[in-house]
């Protein structure tokens, strides 16, 4: 079954404690991205990756890091989380071609609370 | 920068009423995608429109892409409680898709 798997689904952490949210896809997609979803603001892209070892900033990258060492995995790292990073996070993957991305497959989401 | 605006932000309808959400881009789009997110769920792809003036139907859902390829709409005929959720449009930017802010639909039985 084609899927994007995110872990954990829920996380409560304290300010400054490094954390990693994992994302894995089984569709051999080149393109992966991270979004955060906040009320009234929709889905905002944090980082994206066009392929292995190719990553770039999205619209709201401050306070986040990513890596793409393998095609299937795209972890999101918060080195020093702050309360304003409390949000719902989604990982997504898709093919990327000449006409742009094909349909994006989203993970189940990670609800992060930073206290 | 490129923006994708969506209206309305919220819509409450009685079951059986119609519903429409509108998506407007600041730039011409090569295509537009629509997603649905059920409460507590993740966005799920519904459809992609590519051609100017294109109209596509999925049962009670009708999707339109404007002639100028700068706007799009999703119309639901005779809403049901299963239509509850947030509907997003997404337009391609540079190496990414830009999502609209979404329209949250509530259907009152």
């Amino acid at each position: 079954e084609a899927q994007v798997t995110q872990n954990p689904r829920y996380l409560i952490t304290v300010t400054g404690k490094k954390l990693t949210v994992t994302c894995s896809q089984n569709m051999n997609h080149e393109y992966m991205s991270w979004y955060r979803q906040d009320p009234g603001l929709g889905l905002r892209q944090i980082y994206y990756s066009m392929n292995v070892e190719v990553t770039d900033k999205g619209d709201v990258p401050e306070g986040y890091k990513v890596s793409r060492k393998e095609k299937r995995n795209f972890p999101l790292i918060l080195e020093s989380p702050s309360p304003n990073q409390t949000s719902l996070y989604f990982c997504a993957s898709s093919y990327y071609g000449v006409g742009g991305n094909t349909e994006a497959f989203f993970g189940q989401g990670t609800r992060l609370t930073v206290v | 920068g490129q923006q994708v605006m969506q209206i309305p932000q919220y819509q409450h309808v009685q079951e059986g009423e119609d519903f429409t959400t509108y998506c407007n881009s600041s730039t011409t789009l090569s295509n537009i995608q629509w997603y649905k997110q059920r409460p507590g769920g993740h966005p799920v792809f519904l459809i992609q429109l590519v051609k100017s003036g294109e109209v596509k139907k999925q049962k009670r859902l009708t999707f339109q892409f404007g002639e100028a390829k700068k706007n799009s709409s999703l119309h639901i005929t005779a809403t049901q409680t299963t239509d509850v959720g947030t509907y997003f449009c997404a337009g391609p930017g540079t190496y990414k898709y830009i999502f609209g802010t979404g329209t949250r639909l509530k259907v009152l039985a």
Side-chain angles (χ1 to χ4, degrees):
Chain A
E1 181 193 352
Q3 60 184 7
V4 177
T5 305
Q6 272 180 249
N7 280 297
R9 292 289 311 278
Y10 302 92
L11 180 59
I12 301 175
T13 190
V14 297
T15 299
K17 186 176 180 184
K18 181 179 177 180
L19 67 91
T20 299
V21 184
T22 62
C23 173
S24 181
Q25 52 95 3
N26 64 0
M27 294 165 280
N28 202 36
H29 287 159
E30 304 90 357
Y31 190 97
M32 297 185 74
S33 59
W34 277 101
Y35 295 88
R36 61 177 289 173
Q37 185 175 23
D38 302 289
L41 297 177
L43 290 159
R44 293 181 293 167
Q45 193 180 52
I46 303 170
Y47 267 93
Y48 66 92
S49 170
M50 301 283 286
N51 215 323
V52 175
E53 303 291 2
V54 181
T55 63
D56 207 347
K57 297 176 181 178
D59 298 313
V60 288
E62 294 77 23
Y64 305 94
K65 282 175 57 176
V66 292
S67 69
R68 188 92 180 272
K69 293 184 169 57
E70 304 164 284
K71 197 171 186 178
R72 63 184 293 124
N73 296 324
F74 190 45
L76 178 69
I77 303 153
L78 284 73
E79 294 268 1
S80 182
S82 62
N84 65 13
Q85 292 178 297
T86 292
S87 187
L88 178 59
Y89 291 86
F90 287 103
C91 178
S93 75
S94 62
Y95 289 113
Y96 184 86
V98 171
N101 298 62
T102 60
E103 65 175 283
F105 290 80
F106 283 80
Q108 299 292 325
T110 296
R111 186 165 291 283
L112 172 66
T113 302
V114 184
V115 298
Chain B
Q2 182 181 356
Q3 288 188 318
V4 177
M5 309 298 291
Q6 212 174 329
I7 56 169
Q9 192 171 358
Y10 302 97
Q11 182 95 54
H12 294 182
V13 299
Q14 286 291 136
E15 190 173 19
E17 290 182 341
D18 292 357
F19 158 78
T20 305
T21 174
Y22 300 91
C23 185
N24 293 292
S25 169
S26 57
T27 60
T28 302
L29 303 170
S30 58
N31 63 76
I32 194 157
Q33 296 179 345
W34 285 91
Y35 292 80
K36 176 184 178 181
Q37 182 180 21
R38 294 182 190 277
H42 59 280
V44 174
F45 175 82
L46 292 176
I47 206 162
Q48 179 167 295
L49 305 173
V50 179
K51 299 177 185 174
S52 168
E54 188 170 14
V55 177
K56 285 190 176 179
K57 291 193 175 189
Q58 290 179 350
K59 297 184 181 176
R60 294 177 294 103
L61 277 61
T62 302
F63 303 85
Q64 260 187 305
F65 200 10
E67 293 289 342
K69 301 183 80 172
K70 293 183 74 173
N71 58 72
S72 181
S73 65
L74 158 59
H75 179 83
I76 303 178
T77 303
T79 54
Q80 299 175 358
T81 54
T82 53
D83 296 323
V84 163
T86 301
Y87 293 85
F88 292 98
C89 61
T94 305
Y95 304 124
K96 64 181 179 182
Y97 266 80
I98 299 168
F99 281 80
T101 48
T103 297
R104 185 184 292 182
L105 172 64
K106 208 166 196 177
V107 180
L108 307 170

